[in-house]
Amino acid sequence: MRFGVHSPSDNPVDHRLIDLFAGPGGLDVAATWLGIETTGIEWDEGAFATREKAEIHSHKGDVRKFNAAEFANASVLAAGPPCQTFTVAGKGAGRLALDTVLAFIKRMSVGDDIKEDLRGLSDERTGLVLEPLRWALDANASKRPYEAIVLEQVPAVLPVWEAMEEVLQGIGYLTTSGVLRTEEYGVPQTRRRAVLLANLSFRPQLPRRTHQHFVRDQEPIPGSPPSWKPMSEALSLLPGSTRNYPFEVVSNYGSGGDPKARGRRHSSEPSFTVTGKVTRNRILDSNGRWRNRFSHAEAGLLQTFPHDYPWSGVGIGQQIGNAIPPRLGVHVLCAALGLEVTPDDLDKVVALPWARSRNSLRPAGR
């Protein structure tokens, strides 16, 4: 079943993707929709349980205990390292250690072994952001470089991606990096992600936005892409949903630094960033009555997972919040690999049940 994804080549090369820090499968769902074979590495029990239920090929364990040679047939490297030490919602150990991380990148570029020095970081999770570079350098040293690389993280990691770009360019890659807004790619949620895209054959461009940037109360701009997608549209994809009424989401987080000033979004607007605490957000209908909070299926839909995605194990809210939205994943993978997809075709595949949506978006010629 082909929904219009196509490649500039008449005979596109089959890709195999290795996904580090794979989580419950956000990027793997995107790859599966595109017909790309994928394998993920994930240590978290809950996320791994979800991956198994979704029948996504996986290896359980710490990424640092694996290496590129064990996945020598992979042509695409993807990674979304843990963001807790870099996100503004955390204590900021990663942001405080930014200069140290950048110095590590320079040392890695000349072959220094930094393993012992990483132990000096105040939070070991900060060093995980360097793992994709280790894998890329190891693959290159073994004469089996990845054809393409896709990295994503919170915006605070952009300087790390920019430093890695220099190293990757030094071993033959053409690269780009920047910060993307998820609502500009049809995700019913405002979320910003820093991405790095690299390819050995051509210079990737950041994916062209398909929807408008969300600005409250702003009228559609003539000649611009379609408006962002609202929560109501996403939640309508849940079969048997009773969430067919106007509502407001009262955020679990304070607005403007004031914990008492909870931000609000109407159902006709995109969601706030879906975090691990998404199910704590309160739902208020137009009559002033509190309604049931978001279910896991609803929270997954706001991330553009299939409505029947088999969330499993413990910490499901955290799994959902930590994942890259699959719809955004399609756009960044296509940009890194020179493929194209239309918003209408993505609308169709996102609306399908997981079993039917697998391998639904296929590049022309396959």
Side-chain angles (χ1 to χ4, degrees), residues 104 115-123:
F104 282 149
K115 191 179 300 182
E116 291 298 320
D117 294 330
L118 286 173
R119 296 178 180 176
L121 294 170
S122 62
D123 190 319

Side-chain angles (χ1 to χ4, degrees), residues 202-224:
F202 66 91
R203 186 180 304 281
Q205 300 294 315
L206 293 178
R208 184 175 63 253
R209 68 188 184 118
T210 58
H211 292 74
Q212 291 183 27
H213 170 54
F214 171 68
V215 179
R216 175 165 280 171
D217 298 327
Q218 178 175 292
E219 293 294 323
I221 302 172
S224 292

